[in-house]
Amino acid sequence: HMKLKCLGSGSSGNGYLLIASNGETLIIDPGIPIKEIKKALNWNVSCVVGAVCTHHHTDHAKSVKDLEQMGIPVLKPYESSKKISVDGAGWTIQYFELTDKNRRFMHTNTDGSECPCYGFLISHPEMGRLLYITDTELIKWRFYDIHQILVEANYSKKIIQEDDPNYEHVCRGHMELETTLEFLKVNKSMDLRNVVLLHLSDDNSDAEMFAARAKEVVGMADVYVADKEMEIELNKEPF
């Protein structure tokens, strides 16, 4: 079975490990200190087949350079379209841009400029097809036969106050709960096994309510909210 290990989810730092049963590990968004990543790998770096990174902000990319210095290939489409070859059995990785209908990236830098940000479709025989999507306001793509969805549900309009001085900042380039639910509705299928909600805002979200609402939409699939130390099995078969 494939295992998903969450090392952090949110603006203080994101990081996930996908661990196959033979130990091969893919790192998703190394946005936490390299020490913490190594510790989560039990200091066995040789099992890492590669890493993928969505965009250049520190809370997602903090350890990219460290990984590269250790000889681990990092796929970072925001910097180069060069595909990485993952040094392991059965992994395939595709990426897609998180842009609106006019091909503008919806995530922004602190000065308000566009921040190129990408989603990933990762496949492996043990878990099937996994989608990882974060730091965008909406997803214009439609996917089929997806088994695992890791998707941002950052805030709820019902919780955030419009007079909050951070209102614009929170809403800009992050996904609102209803948008996430709509995405799940459109992309769910009989194959969907697990949904993990990512990057919940500390002040403007409610993990239990978010999970319950997602569960209503996806039915048979299991729903989780990512938090540090979470470990779940990403089974492909329904048992």
Side-chain angles (χ1 to χ4, degrees), residues 121-132:
L121 173 58
I122 302 166
S123 308
H124 187 282
E126 288 180 16
M127 65 171 185
R129 287 151 60 81
L130 174 145
L131 276 178
Y132 176 79

Side-chain angles (χ1 to χ4, degrees), residues 159-217:
I159 298 174
I160 187 173
Q161 303 303 314
E162 298 209 8
D163 53 9
D164 180 330
N166 272 339
Y167 183 76
E168 270 304 303
H169 173 70
V170 171
C171 302
R172 194 68 217 263
H174 284 291
M175 204 134 78
E176 203 267 335
L177 175 65
E178 301 303 326
T179 312
T180 306
L181 297 174
E182 191 52 42
F183 171 74
L184 290 172
K185 200 174 288 173
V186 171
N187 291 278
K188 70 176 184 180
S189 71
M190 295 303 288
D191 290 322
L192 185 61
R193 298 285 165 252
N194 298 288
V195 171
V196 183
L197 303 176
L198 313 174
H199 218 301
L200 274 69
S201 149
D202 292 339
D203 304 326
N204 304 304
S205 68
D206 171 338
E208 272 175 44
M209 184 267 277
F210 279 27
R213 294 285 312 278
K215 185 71 181 159
E216 282 167 24
V217 172

Side-chain angles (χ1 to χ4, degrees), residues 60-75:
H60 293 261
K62 190 182 190 71
S63 293
V64 165
K65 291 273 178 291
D66 296 298
L67 292 172
E68 290 177 328
Q69 278 164 1
M70 286 152 59
I72 292 167
V74 182
L75 178 58

Side-chain angles (χ1 to χ4, degrees), residues 98-100 104-108 135-139 172-173:
L98 294 171
T99 49
D100 62 18
R104 286 190 49 217
F105 285 98
M106 287 166 288
H107 199 56
T108 52
D135 291 65
T136 183
E137 282 172 42
L138 60 92
I139 304 156
R172 194 68 217 263

Side-chain angles (χ1 to χ4, degrees), residues 9 12 15 27-28 38 40 58 79 82 93 100 102 110-111 117-118 122 124 128 146 152 164 184 196 234:
S9 184
S12 54
I27 299 172
I28 301 179
K38 285 179 171 169
T58 325
E79 222 170 72
K82 201 172 93 228
I93 304 169
D100 62 18
N102 306 319
T110 41
D111 64 1
C117 185
Y118 290 79
I122 302 166
H124 187 282
I146 297 294
E152 174 177 81
D164 180 330
L184 290 172
V196 183
L234 298 181

